[in-house]
Amino acid sequence: MDSLALQIKNAALDMGYEKCGIIKVSDMYSYEEKLDERIERLPHTKPFYDRYYKFARIQESHPWAKSVVVCVRRYGKYKIPEHLKGMVAKYYLVDSRTDENSKDFQDSLSFEKALQDMGLRAETERKYGFTALRWAAIKAGLGIVRRNNFFYTENGSWVYLEAWLIDKELEAIETPNLRPCSDKCNLCIKACPSASLSQPYTMNPMACVSCITTFMGRDMPNERYKEEIGDWVYGCDACQDVCPMNINRWKEAEDFPYLEELSKEISLKKIIKMDYDFLENVMQPKFWYIPKQDVWKWKANAINAMVNNYKEQYKESIYEACKDSHEKVREMAEWAIHKLNI
Ligand code: B12
């Protein structure tokens, strides 16, 4: 391996990344085939997936870029408040992509600085990424993708990915040493509440609970999958939680900054009571998939979860939501009262 490639890899490991690999930008072309395959299998997902073709064609948007440095970082090490499990996806509770308080975020900045100190032009896109991160990590041989579409290392799927573009052609590729999924295992497919994961290596984002509770689902009373959403309020971990390759891979060893404090403010009943200032200025910066103008969605999602697993104690909250300042919340509460016949 080139000594600069080795220097980059070592810097990443020193900064707390579990793995780091480097591929040529042209190695990402083959991601286009994965998108084609996905659209062929589920043609109605075309409008959703069309926007990702740019992930394969990096050179069109970044003509200066020569290689992709892709890093894997473990998040399955943080303490997760018990009452939020099954309600808010774990990744989003410890999401460091925009959270300046987190060490992971600060390490990401330091790693970028280290790349620049090596004389490289190095750029990233911290929120959604500039390329297909799973595909980049597979190409770099850092792990494997399993039947639920998740990228796994020895630490299971509880890892997230980051990538930087650099202006030098380098390569650092590993050979993963992980046992593939058994052809007979369908636990993830069975566990997907809305059959979004209908076959291995395929999923329909429009039916995915994670997508409906965040980016989509702005008309909850008429949402097709509202029952399948079950107890989830933001995100979903169902296909990862059941995976045998994830057994004992989450070790609750470290605190994530301010998570314990914030978690005390979050419950279905508390969400319905939340004032809009708190939703916009405390919840939104952490859970940034729901934009500021749509924070009412938290309340609509909480009412939906109450309906799906109704308890007498929720009645008061649902009635209270009929007086909410946002029309969408009032509409959802009225739908719930009618549906529950309360
Ligand atoms: C779009 C997107 C979403 C969309 C759509 C998801 C989707 N699968 O397309 C929505 C909003 C639903 C979503 C939700 C979530 N996401 Co998301 N998302 C992305 C994003 C931006 C692009 C994903 C993408 O390329 N999709 C296109 C399709 C074609 O790719 P794919 O489904 O990932 O399939 C890959 C594999 O299946 C493989 N493949 C396909 N066929 C075959 C066949 C074989 C034999 C093999 C070996 C491989 C293989 O190739 C595909 C391309 O990489 C990435 C960030 C990024 N820039 O890459 C994060 C990312 C994939 N998301 C991530 C996470 C954590 C989530 C959530 C778990 C959060 C949550 N807990 O709620 C959920 C999970 C939902 C789910 N069940 O998949 C992580 C995944 C980390 C990991 N360990 O895999 C990523 C990488 C973000 C990150 N920075 O780490 N996400």
Side-chain angles (χ1 to χ4, degrees), residues 31 38 49 89 92 128 131 133-134 149 151 159 161 210 237:
Y31 170 70
R38 181 67 53 88
Y49 284 125
Y92 299 134
Y128 299 110
T131 194
L133 298 170
R134 285 168 171 164
N149 292 306
F151 173 82
V159 294
L161 304 168
S210 183
D237 285 332

Side-chain angles (χ1 to χ4, degrees), residues 20-272:
C20 169
I22 310 173
I23 57 170
K24 295 196 280 281
V25 285
S26 56
D27 289 332
M28 287 306 298
Y29 294 157
S30 49
Y31 170 70
E32 209 165 297
E33 287 158 31
K34 292 292 144 198
L35 282 175
D36 291 342
E37 265 172 35
R38 181 67 53 88
I39 295 169
E40 222 167 89
R41 285 185 187 179
L42 305 169
H44 61 288
T45 62
K46 188 172 183 319
F48 183 91
Y49 284 125
D50 265 349
R51 77 190 81 158
Y52 293 112
Y53 279 95
K54 66 172 191 290
F55 278 181
R57 304 168 192 157
I58 299 171
Q59 249 151 352
E60 284 177 17
S61 50
H62 303 81
W64 58 269
K66 296 274 188 311
S67 309
V68 178
V69 177
V70 55
C71 294
V72 183
R73 200 169 180 104
R74 184 176 189 193
Y75 67 90
K77 60 177 184 180
Y78 288 112
K79 293 179 196 159
I80 301 295
E82 213 49 48
H83 70 286
L84 297 184
K85 288 180 183 166
M87 177 179 162
V88 180
K90 296 186 273 295
Y91 180 48
Y92 299 134
L93 290 170
V94 299
D95 185 350
S96 62
R97 283 174 291 179
T98 60
D99 190 337
E100 293 180 11
N101 297 311
S102 93
K103 182 173 179 301
D104 306 291
F105 179 87
Q106 291 304 330
D107 285 347
S108 171
L109 294 183
S110 306
F111 179 59
E112 186 166 314
K113 167 122 191 350
L115 291 173
Q116 288 157 353
D117 289 348
M118 290 174 209
L120 296 163
R121 177 169 177 187
E123 288 179 16
T124 189
E125 201 291 296
R126 283 203 169 73
K127 282 185 148 178
Y128 299 110
F130 57 83
T131 194
L133 298 170
R134 285 168 171 164
W135 197 243
I138 300 168
K139 285 282 167 186
L142 303 181
I144 61 169
V145 158
R146 296 201 178 279
R147 285 156 74 90
N148 58 4
N149 292 306
F150 277 84
F151 173 82
Y152 282 68
T153 66
E154 290 72 6
N155 284 320
S157 64
W158 310 118
V159 294
Y160 70 94
L161 304 168
E162 283 183 83
W164 283 263
L165 286 174
I166 56 169
D167 59 348
K168 195 159 184 349
E169 195 166 304
L170 294 172
E171 232 172 30
I173 296 178
E174 293 180 22
T175 308
N177 184 22
L178 293 167
R179 191 156 47 96
C181 295
S182 147
D183 285 344
K184 293 190 195 95
C185 184
N186 273 332
L187 290 173
C188 54
I189 294 170
K190 278 197 228 145
C192 177
S194 52
S196 153
L197 182 65
S198 52
Q199 348 162 10
Y201 308 108
T202 301
M203 63 89 68
N204 168 11
M206 277 100 104
C208 175
V209 169
S210 183
C211 203
I212 300 168
T213 53
T214 56
F215 296 116
M216 297 180 0
R218 297 299 187 263
D219 181 16
M220 286 306 281
N222 297 306
E223 169 55 50
R224 176 170 166 199
Y225 297 103
K226 55 184 178 295
E227 283 178 28
E228 287 80 357
I229 290 171
D231 294 332
W232 292 104
V233 172
Y234 190 94
C236 172
D237 285 332
C239 66
Q240 297 182 88
D241 280 340
V242 294
C243 177
M245 301 297 179
N246 268 338
I247 293 175
N248 295 329
R249 295 296 196 277
W250 193 296
K251 305 264 183 265
E252 297 209 10
E254 290 178 35
D255 288 311
F256 190 84
Y258 304 114
L259 178 59
E260 181 62 30
E261 291 90 319
L262 179 62
S263 75
K264 293 190 182 119
E265 308 299 325
I266 308 176
S267 72
L268 296 183
K269 286 163 82 171
K270 286 178 183 166
I271 291 170
I272 290 183

